[in-house]
Coordinates of all heavy atoms in Angstrom, one line a residue:
M1 N 0.8 -1.2 0.0 CA 0.0 0.0 0.0 C 0.8 1.2 0.0 O 0.5 2.3 -0.7 CB -0.9 0.0 1.2 CG -1.9 1.0 1.2 SD -3.0 0.8 -0.2 CE -4.3 1.8 0.2
D2 N 2.0 1.2 0.7 CA 2.9 2.4 0.7 C 3.4 2.7 -0.6 O 3.7 3.8 -1.0 CB 4.0 2.1 1.8 CG 3.5 2.2 3.2 OD1 2.6 2.8 3.4 OD2 4.2 1.5 4.0
M3 N 3.6 1.6 -1.4 CA 4.1 1.8 -2.8 C 3.1 2.5 -3.6 O 3.5 3.4 -4.5 CB 4.5 0.4 -3.5 CG 5.0 0.5 -4.8 SD 6.7 0.6 -4.7 CE 7.2 -0.2 -6.2
L4 N 1.9 2.2 -3.5 CA 0.8 2.9 -4.3 C 0.7 4.3 -3.8 O 0.5 5.2 -4.7 CB -0.5 2.2 -4.0 CG -0.7 0.9 -4.8 CD1 -2.1 0.3 -4.3 CD2 -0.7 1.1 -6.3
K5 N 0.9 4.5 -2.6 CA 0.8 6.0 -2.1 C 2.0 6.8 -2.6 O 1.9 7.9 -2.8 CB 0.8 6.0 -0.6 CG -0.5 5.6 0.0 CD -0.8 5.7 1.5 CE -2.1 5.3 2.0 NZ -2.3 5.5 3.4
K6 N 3.0 6.1 -2.8 CA 4.2 6.9 -3.4 C 4.1 7.1 -4.9 O 4.4 8.2 -5.4 CB 5.6 6.1 -3.2 CG 6.0 6.0 -1.8 CD 7.2 5.3 -1.6 CE 7.7 5.2 -0.1 NZ 8.8 4.5 0.1
L7 N 3.5 6.1 -5.6 CA 3.3 6.3 -7.1 C 2.1 7.1 -7.4 O 2.1 7.9 -8.4 CB 3.1 4.9 -7.7 CG 4.3 4.0 -7.8 CD1 3.8 2.7 -8.3 CD2 5.3 4.7 -8.7
F8 N 1.0 7.1 -6.6 CA -0.2 7.9 -6.8 C -0.5 8.7 -5.6 O -1.5 8.4 -4.9 CB -1.3 7.0 -7.1 CG -1.2 6.1 -8.3 CD1 -0.6 4.8 -8.1 CD2 -1.5 6.6 -9.7 CE1 -0.5 4.0 -9.3 CE2 -1.3 5.8 -10.7 CZ -0.9 4.5 -10.5
P9 N 0.4 9.8 -5.3 CA 0.0 10.5 -4.0 C -1.3 11.3 -4.1 O -1.8 11.6 -3.0 CB 1.3 11.4 -3.9 CG 1.7 11.6 -5.3 CD 1.4 10.2 -6.0
F10 N -1.8 11.8 -5.2 CA -2.9 12.5 -5.2 C -4.2 11.7 -5.1 O -5.2 12.3 -4.9 CB -2.9 13.3 -6.6 CG -3.9 14.4 -6.6 CD1 -3.7 15.6 -5.7 CD2 -4.9 14.5 -7.5 CE1 -4.5 16.6 -5.8 CE2 -5.8 15.5 -7.5 CZ -5.6 16.5 -6.7
S11 N -4.2 10.5 -5.2 CA -5.3 9.5 -5.3 C -5.9 9.3 -3.9 O -7.0 8.9 -3.7 CB -5.1 8.3 -5.9 OG -4.7 8.5 -7.3
F12 N -5.1 9.6 -2.8 CA -5.5 9.2 -1.5 C -5.8 10.5 -0.7 O -5.3 11.5 -0.8 CB -4.3 8.4 -0.9 CG -4.1 7.1 -1.5 CD1 -3.1 7.0 -2.5 CD2 -4.9 6.0 -1.2 CE1 -2.8 5.8 -3.1 CE2 -4.7 4.8 -1.9 CZ -3.6 4.8 -2.8
G13 N -6.9 10.3 0.2 CA -7.1 11.4 1.2 C -8.4 12.1 0.9 O -8.6 13.1 1.6
A14 N -9.2 11.7 -0.1 CA -10.5 12.4 -0.3 C -11.4 12.0 0.8 O -11.7 10.9 1.1 CB -11.0 12.0 -1.6
T15 N -11.9 13.1 1.5 CA -12.8 12.9 2.7 C -14.3 13.1 2.3 O -15.2 12.6 3.0 CB -12.5 13.8 3.8 OG1 -12.4 15.2 3.3 CG2 -11.1 13.5 4.3
D16 N -14.6 13.9 1.2 CA -15.9 14.1 0.8 C -16.1 13.9 -0.7 O -15.1 13.9 -1.4 CB -16.5 15.3 1.4 CG -15.7 16.5 0.9 OD1 -14.6 16.4 0.4 OD2 -16.2 17.7 1.1
V17 N -17.3 14.1 -1.1 CA -17.5 13.9 -2.7 C -16.9 15.1 -3.4 O -16.4 14.8 -4.5 CB -19.0 13.8 -2.8 CG1 -19.3 13.7 -4.3 CG2 -19.7 12.7 -2.2
K18 N -16.9 16.2 -2.8 CA -16.3 17.4 -3.5 C -14.8 17.2 -3.7 O -14.3 17.4 -4.8 CB -16.5 18.6 -2.7 CG -16.0 19.9 -3.4 CD -16.4 21.1 -2.5 CE -15.7 22.4 -3.0 NZ -15.9 23.6 -2.2
A19 N -14.1 16.7 -2.7 CA -12.7 16.4 -2.9 C -12.4 15.3 -3.8 O -11.4 15.4 -4.6 CB -12.1 16.0 -1.5
L20 N -13.3 14.3 -3.9 CA -13.1 13.2 -5.0 C -13.4 13.7 -6.3 O -12.6 13.4 -7.2 CB -14.1 12.1 -4.5 CG -14.1 10.9 -5.6 CD1 -12.8 10.2 -5.5 CD2 -15.3 10.1 -5.3
V21 N -14.4 14.6 -6.5 CA -14.6 15.1 -7.8 C -13.5 16.1 -8.3 O -13.0 16.0 -9.4 CB -15.9 16.0 -7.7 CG1 -16.1 16.7 -9.1 CG2 -17.1 14.9 -7.6
V22 N -12.9 16.8 -7.3 CA -11.7 17.6 -7.7 C -10.5 16.8 -8.1 O -9.9 17.2 -9.1 CB -11.4 18.6 -6.5 CG1 -10.0 19.2 -6.7 CG2 -12.4 19.5 -6.3
R23 N -10.2 15.7 -7.4 CA -9.2 14.8 -7.8 C -9.4 14.2 -9.2 O -8.4 14.1 -9.9 CB -9.1 13.7 -6.7 CG -8.5 14.3 -5.4 CD -8.5 13.2 -4.3 NE -8.4 13.8 -3.0 CZ -7.2 14.2 -2.5 NH1 -6.1 14.0 -3.2 NH2 -7.1 14.7 -1.4
I24 N -10.6 13.8 -9.5 CA -11.0 13.2 -10.7 C -10.8 14.2 -11.9 O -10.2 13.9 -13.0 CB -12.3 12.5 -10.7 CG1 -12.3 11.4 -9.9 CG2 -12.7 12.2 -12.1 CD1 -13.7 10.7 -9.7
V25 N -11.2 15.4 -11.6 CA -11.1 16.5 -12.7 C -9.7 16.8 -12.8 O -9.3 17.1 -14.0 CB -11.9 17.7 -12.2 CG1 -11.6 18.9 -13.0 CG2 -13.4 17.5 -12.3
V26 N -8.9 16.8 -11.8 CA -7.4 17.1 -12.0 C -6.7 16.1 -12.8 O -5.9 16.3 -13.7 CB -6.7 17.3 -10.6 CG1 -5.2 17.3 -10.8 CG2 -7.2 18.6 -10.0
Y27 N -7.0 14.8 -12.5 CA -6.6 13.8 -13.4 C -6.9 13.9 -14.9 O -6.2 13.7 -15.8 CB -7.1 12.4 -12.9 CG -6.0 11.8 -11.8 CD1 -6.5 11.5 -10.6 CD2 -4.7 11.5 -12.1 CE1 -5.7 11.0 -9.6 CE2 -3.9 10.9 -11.1 CZ -4.4 10.7 -9.9 OH -3.5 10.2 -9.0
L28 N -8.2 14.2 -15.1 CA -8.6 14.4 -16.5 C -8.0 15.6 -17.1 O -7.7 15.4 -18.4 CB -10.1 14.5 -16.5 CG -11.0 13.3 -16.1 CD1 -12.5 13.6 -16.1 CD2 -10.6 12.1 -17.0
V29 N -7.8 16.6 -16.4 CA -7.1 17.8 -17.0 C -5.8 17.5 -17.4 O -5.2 17.9 -18.4 CB -7.3 19.1 -16.1 CG1 -6.3 20.2 -16.5 CG2 -8.7 19.6 -16.1
A30 N -5.0 16.7 -16.5 CA -3.7 16.3 -16.8 C -3.6 15.5 -17.9 O -2.6 15.5 -18.8 CB -3.1 15.6 -15.5
A31 N -4.5 14.5 -18.1 CA -4.6 13.7 -19.3 C -4.8 14.5 -20.6 O -4.1 14.3 -21.6 CB -5.6 12.6 -19.2
I32 N -5.7 15.5 -20.5 CA -5.9 16.3 -21.7 C -4.6 17.1 -22.0 O -4.3 17.2 -23.1 CB -7.1 17.1 -21.5 CG1 -8.4 16.4 -21.5 CG2 -7.3 18.3 -22.5 CD1 -9.6 17.0 -21.0
A33 N -4.0 17.7 -21.0 CA -2.8 18.5 -21.3 C -1.7 17.6 -21.8 O -1.0 18.0 -22.8 CB -2.3 19.1 -19.9
A34 N -1.5 16.4 -21.3 CA -0.4 15.6 -21.8 C -0.8 15.1 -23.2 O 0.1 15.1 -24.1 CB -0.4 14.3 -20.9
G35 N -2.1 14.9 -23.5 CA -2.5 14.5 -24.9 C -2.2 15.7 -25.9 O -1.7 15.4 -27.1
L36 N -2.5 16.9 -25.4 CA -2.1 18.1 -26.3 C -0.7 18.2 -26.6 O -0.3 18.5 -27.7 CB -2.8 19.3 -25.7 CG -4.3 19.4 -25.7 CD1 -4.7 20.7 -25.1 CD2 -4.8 19.5 -27.2
V37 N 0.1 18.0 -25.6 CA 1.6 18.2 -25.7 C 2.1 17.1 -26.6 O 2.9 17.3 -27.5 CB 2.2 18.1 -24.3 CG1 3.8 18.1 -24.4 CG2 1.9 19.5 -23.6
L38 N 1.6 15.8 -26.4 CA 2.1 14.8 -27.2 C 1.6 15.0 -28.6 O 2.4 14.6 -29.6 CB 1.7 13.4 -26.5 CG 2.3 13.1 -25.3 CD1 1.7 11.8 -24.7 CD2 3.8 12.9 -25.4
G39 N 0.4 15.4 -28.8 CA -0.1 15.6 -30.1 C 0.6 16.7 -30.9 O 1.1 16.6 -32.1
L40 N 1.0 17.7 -30.2 CA 1.8 18.9 -30.8 C 3.2 18.3 -31.1 O 3.7 18.7 -32.2 CB 1.9 20.0 -29.8 CG 2.6 21.2 -30.3 CD1 2.0 21.8 -31.6 CD2 2.7 22.2 -29.2
A41 N 3.8 17.5 -30.3 CA 5.1 17.0 -30.6 C 5.0 16.1 -31.7 O 5.9 16.1 -32.6 CB 5.6 16.2 -29.3
G42 N 4.0 15.3 -31.9 CA 3.9 14.4 -33.1 C 3.6 15.2 -34.4 O 4.1 14.9 -35.4
L43 N 2.8 16.3 -34.2 CA 2.7 17.1 -35.4 C 3.9 17.8 -35.8 O 4.2 17.9 -37.0 CB 1.6 18.1 -35.1 CG 1.1 19.1 -36.1 CD1 0.3 18.2 -37.2 CD2 0.3 20.2 -35.5
I44 N 4.8 18.2 -34.9 CA 5.9 18.9 -35.2 C 7.0 18.0 -35.9 O 7.7 18.3 -36.8 CB 6.6 19.6 -34.0 CG1 5.8 20.8 -33.6 CG2 8.0 20.0 -34.3 CD1 6.1 21.4 -32.3
T45 N 7.1 16.8 -35.3 CA 8.1 15.8 -35.8 C 7.5 14.9 -36.9 O 8.3 14.1 -37.4 CB 8.7 15.0 -34.6 OG1 7.6 14.3 -34.0 CG2 9.3 15.8 -33.6
G46 N 6.3 14.9 -37.2 CA 5.7 14.0 -38.1 C 6.2 14.1 -39.5 O 6.0 13.2 -40.3
W47 N 6.7 15.3 -39.9 CA 7.1 15.5 -41.3 C 8.4 14.9 -41.6 O 8.8 14.8 -42.8 CB 7.1 16.9 -41.6 CG 8.1 17.7 -40.8 CD1 7.8 18.3 -39.5 CD2 9.4 18.0 -41.1 NE1 9.0 18.9 -39.0 CE2 10.0 18.8 -40.0 CE3 10.3 17.7 -42.1 CZ2 11.2 19.2 -39.9 CZ3 11.5 18.1 -42.1 CH2 12.1 18.9 -41.1
I48 N 9.2 14.5 -40.7 CA 10.5 13.8 -40.8 C 10.3 12.4 -41.4 O 9.6 11.7 -40.7 CB 11.4 13.9 -39.5 CG1 11.5 15.2 -39.0 CG2 12.8 13.2 -39.8 CD1 12.1 15.3 -37.7
P49 N 10.7 12.0 -42.5 CA 10.3 10.7 -43.1 C 10.5 9.5 -42.2 O 9.6 8.9 -41.9 CB 11.3 10.5 -44.3 CG 11.7 12.0 -44.6 CD 11.8 12.7 -43.3
V50 N 11.6 9.0 -41.8 CA 11.8 7.8 -41.0 C 11.7 8.1 -39.5 O 11.1 7.4 -38.7 CB 13.1 7.0 -41.4 CG1 13.3 5.9 -40.5 CG2 13.1 6.7 -42.8
L51 N 12.4 9.2 -39.1 CA 12.5 9.5 -37.7 C 11.2 10.0 -37.2 O 10.9 9.7 -36.0 CB 13.6 10.7 -37.5 CG 13.9 10.9 -36.1 CD1 14.5 9.8 -35.3 CD2 14.9 12.0 -36.0
G52 N 10.4 10.5 -38.0 CA 8.9 10.9 -37.6 C 8.1 9.7 -37.2 O 7.3 9.8 -36.3
A53 N 8.3 8.6 -38.0 CA 7.5 7.4 -37.6 C 8.0 6.8 -36.3 O 7.1 6.4 -35.4 CB 7.6 6.4 -38.7
V54 N 9.2 6.8 -36.0 CA 9.7 6.3 -34.7 C 9.3 7.2 -33.6 O 8.9 6.6 -32.6 CB 11.3 6.1 -34.9 CG1 11.8 5.7 -33.5 CG2 11.7 5.2 -36.0
I55 N 9.4 8.5 -33.8 CA 9.0 9.4 -32.7 C 7.5 9.3 -32.6 O 7.0 9.3 -31.3 CB 9.5 10.8 -33.1 CG1 11.0 11.0 -33.1 CG2 8.8 11.8 -32.1 CD1 11.5 12.2 -33.6
G56 N 6.7 9.1 -33.5 CA 5.4 8.9 -33.4 C 5.0 7.7 -32.6 O 4.1 7.7 -31.8
L57 N 5.7 6.6 -32.8 CA 5.5 5.3 -32.0 C 5.8 5.6 -30.6 O 5.1 5.1 -29.7 CB 6.4 4.2 -32.6 CG 6.2 2.8 -31.9 CD1 4.8 2.3 -32.0 CD2 7.3 1.9 -32.5
V58 N 7.0 6.3 -30.3 CA 7.4 6.4 -28.9 C 6.3 7.3 -28.3 O 6.0 7.2 -27.1 CB 8.8 7.1 -28.9 CG1 9.1 7.7 -27.6 CG2 9.8 6.2 -29.4
L59 N 5.8 8.4 -29.0 CA 4.8 9.3 -28.4 C 3.5 8.6 -28.2 O 2.8 8.8 -27.1 CB 4.6 10.5 -29.3 CG 5.6 11.4 -29.4 CD1 5.4 12.6 -30.4 CD2 6.0 12.1 -28.0
K60 N 3.1 7.6 -28.9 CA 2.0 6.8 -28.7 C 2.1 5.9 -27.5 O 1.2 5.8 -26.6 CB 1.7 5.9 -29.9 CG 0.9 6.5 -31.0 CD 0.5 5.4 -32.1 CE -0.2 6.0 -33.1 NZ -0.6 5.0 -34.2
I61 N 3.3 5.3 -27.4 CA 3.6 4.6 -26.1 C 3.5 5.4 -24.8 O 2.9 5.0 -23.8 CB 5.0 3.9 -26.2 CG1 4.8 2.7 -27.3 CG2 5.3 3.2 -24.9 CD1 6.1 2.1 -27.8
V62 N 4.1 6.6 -24.9 CA 4.1 7.5 -23.8 C 2.6 7.9 -23.5 O 2.2 8.0 -22.4 CB 4.9 8.7 -24.0 CG1 4.7 9.8 -23.0 CG2 6.4 8.3 -24.1
G63 N 1.9 8.1 -24.5 CA 0.4 8.5 -24.3 C -0.3 7.3 -23.7 O -1.2 7.7 -22.8
W64 N -0.1 6.2 -24.1 CA -0.7 5.0 -23.4 C -0.4 4.8 -22.0 O -1.3 4.6 -21.1 CB -0.4 3.7 -24.2 CG -1.0 3.6 -25.5 CD1 -2.1 4.2 -26.0 CD2 -0.6 2.6 -26.4 NE1 -2.4 3.7 -27.2 CE2 -1.4 2.8 -27.6 CE3 0.5 1.7 -26.6 CZ2 -1.2 2.1 -28.7 CZ3 0.7 1.1 -27.7 CH2 -0.1 1.2 -28.9
I65 N 0.9 5.2 -21.7 CA 1.3 5.1 -20.2 C 0.6 6.2 -19.5 O 0.2 5.9 -18.3 CB 2.8 5.3 -20.1 CG1 3.5 4.0 -20.7 CG2 3.3 5.5 -18.8 CD1 5.0 4.1 -21.0
V66 N 0.5 7.4 -20.0 CA -0.2 8.5 -19.3 C -1.6 8.2 -19.0 O -2.2 8.3 -18.0 CB 0.0 9.8 -20.1 CG1 -0.9 10.9 -19.5 CG2 1.4 10.3 -20.1
E67 N -2.3 7.6 -20.0 CA -3.8 7.3 -20.0 C -3.8 6.2 -18.9 O -4.8 6.1 -18.1 CB -4.2 6.8 -21.3 CG -4.5 7.9 -22.3 CD -4.9 7.4 -23.6 OE1 -5.3 6.2 -23.8 OE2 -4.9 8.2 -24.6
L68 N -3.0 5.2 -18.9 CA -3.0 4.1 -17.9 C -2.9 4.7 -16.4 O -3.5 4.3 -15.6 CB -1.9 3.1 -18.1 CG -2.0 1.8 -17.3 CD1 -3.3 1.0 -17.4 CD2 -0.8 1.0 -17.6
Y69 N -1.9 5.6 -16.3 CA -1.6 6.2 -15.0 C -2.8 7.1 -14.5 O -3.2 6.9 -13.4 CB -0.4 7.2 -15.1 CG -0.1 7.9 -13.8 CD1 0.7 7.2 -12.9 CD2 -0.5 9.2 -13.5 CE1 1.0 7.7 -11.6 CE2 -0.2 9.7 -12.3 CZ 0.5 9.0 -11.4 OH 0.8 9.6 -10.2
V70 N -3.5 7.8 -15.5 CA -4.7 8.5 -15.1 C -5.8 7.7 -14.7 O -6.5 7.8 -13.8 CB -5.0 9.5 -16.3 CG1 -6.5 10.0 -16.1 CG2 -4.0 10.5 -16.4
L71 N -6.1 6.6 -15.5 CA -7.0 5.6 -15.2 C -6.9 5.0 -13.8 O -7.8 4.9 -13.0 CB -7.2 4.5 -16.3 CG -8.3 3.5 -16.1 CD1 -9.7 4.1 -16.1 CD2 -8.1 2.4 -17.1
A72 N -5.6 4.5 -13.5 CA -5.3 3.9 -12.3 C -5.5 4.9 -11.1 O -5.9 4.6 -10.1 CB -3.9 3.3 -12.3
G73 N -5.1 6.1 -11.3 CA -5.2 7.1 -10.3 C -6.7 7.4 -10.0 O -7.0 7.5 -8.8
I74 N -7.5 7.5 -11.0 CA -9.0 7.7 -10.7 C -9.5 6.4 -10.0 O -10.3 6.7 -9.1 CB -9.7 8.0 -12.1 CG1 -9.3 9.4 -12.6 CG2 -11.2 7.9 -11.9 CD1 -9.7 9.7 -14.0
V75 N -9.2 5.4 -10.4 CA -9.8 4.1 -9.8 C -9.3 4.0 -8.3 O -10.1 3.7 -7.4 CB -9.3 2.8 -10.6 CG1 -9.6 1.6 -9.7 CG2 -10.0 2.7 -11.9
L76 N -8.1 4.4 -8.1 CA -7.5 4.3 -6.7 C -8.2 5.4 -5.8 O -8.5 5.2 -4.7 CB -6.0 4.5 -6.7 CG -5.2 3.3 -7.1 CD1 -3.7 3.6 -7.2 CD2 -5.5 2.1 -6.1
A77 N -8.5 6.5 -6.5 CA -9.2 7.6 -5.7 C -10.5 7.2 -5.3 O -11.0 7.3 -4.1 CB -9.2 8.9 -6.5
V78 N -11.3 6.5 -6.3 CA -12.6 6.1 -5.8 C -12.6 5.0 -4.9 O -13.3 5.0 -3.9 CB -13.3 5.7 -7.2 CG1 -14.7 5.0 -6.9 CG2 -13.5 6.8 -8.1
L79 N -11.7 4.0 -5.0 CA -11.6 3.0 -4.1 C -11.1 3.5 -2.7 O -11.7 2.9 -1.7 CB -10.6 1.9 -4.5 CG -11.0 1.0 -5.8 CD1 -9.9 0.1 -6.2 CD2 -12.3 0.3 -5.5
D80 N -10.3 4.4 -2.7 CA -9.9 5.0 -1.3 C -11.0 5.7 -0.7 O -11.2 5.7 0.5 CB -8.6 5.9 -1.5 CG -8.2 6.5 -0.2 OD1 -8.0 5.7 0.7 OD2 -8.3 7.8 0.0
Y81 N -11.8 6.5 -1.5 CA -13.0 7.1 -0.9 C -14.0 6.2 -0.4 O -14.6 6.5 0.6 CB -13.6 8.0 -2.1 CG -14.9 8.8 -1.6 CD1 -14.9 9.8 -0.8 CD2 -16.1 8.4 -2.1 CE1 -15.9 10.4 -0.3 CE2 -17.3 8.9 -1.6 CZ -17.1 10.0 -0.7 OH -18.4 10.6 -0.3
M82 N -14.2 5.1 -1.1 CA -15.2 4.1 -0.7 C -14.6 3.2 0.5 O -15.4 2.3 0.9 CB -15.6 3.3 -1.9 CG -16.3 4.1 -2.9 SD -16.7 3.1 -4.4 CE -17.8 1.9 -3.8
K83 N -13.5 3.5 0.9 CA -12.8 2.8 2.0 C -12.6 1.3 1.7 O -12.6 0.4 2.6 CB -13.6 2.9 3.3 CG -13.8 4.3 3.7 CD -12.6 5.0 4.1 CE -12.8 6.4 4.8 NZ -12.1 7.4 4.2
V84 N -12.3 1.0 0.5 CA -12.0 -0.4 0.1 C -10.6 -0.8 0.2 O -10.3 -1.8 0.7 CB -12.4 -0.6 -1.4 CG1 -11.9 -1.9 -1.9 CG2 -13.8 -0.4 -1.7
L85 N -9.7 0.2 0.1 CA -8.3 0.1 0.4 C -8.0 0.3 1.7 O -8.5 1.3 2.4 CB -7.4 1.0 -0.5 CG -7.7 0.9 -2.1 CD1 -7.0 2.0 -2.7 CD2 -7.3 -0.5 -2.5
K86 N -7.1 -0.5 2.3 CA -6.7 -0.3 3.7 C -5.4 0.3 3.8 O -4.4 0.1 3.2 CB -6.7 -1.7 4.4 CG -8.0 -2.5 4.4 CD -9.0 -1.7 5.3 CE -10.3 -2.5 5.1 NZ -11.3 -1.9 5.8

């Protein structure tokens, strides 16, 4: 449990519904911001013939990791609010 609290520090500690909603919105805004930055980076480097494809693949993988982190953070926040996690 301590490892999860170190990896997802923002997911724990919601005491009411308002705090839970704020945490979920922050995670969603972070995901949107990361998607915009990664999309812009892909747009800028996409015109390079071979290197653009490799960079595009790396950016897709980073995007998947960010989405997975956001999803796990939201799930942990909800589970912590519902007192499922000890």
Side-chain angles (χ1 to χ4, degrees):
M1 190 62 166
D2 290 333
M3 180 91 150
L4 283 177
K5 287 185 179 183
K6 288 180 184 177
L7 287 174
F8 300 94
F10 195 65
S11 294
F12 297 95
T15 55
D16 57 349
V17 176
K18 183 179 176 184
L20 178 65
V21 170
V22 167
R23 292 174 194 277
I24 292 173
V25 168
V26 168
Y27 270 120
L28 293 177
V29 168
I32 291 170
L36 289 175
V37 169
L38 292 173
L40 182 63
L43 186 67
I44 291 172
T45 61
W47 60 272
I48 304 172
V50 175
L51 191 59
V54 173
I55 293 173
L57 178 64
V58 170
L59 291 175
K60 273 188 185 176
I61 293 171
V62 170
W64 289 339
I65 292 171
V66 169
E67 289 178 10
L68 183 63
Y69 181 83
V70 167
L71 178 65
I74 291 172
V75 168
L76 285 174
V78 170
L79 289 176
D80 182 56
Y81 175 73
M82 296 174 61
K83 305 290 188 235
V84 173
L85 300 175
K86 302 289 177 190

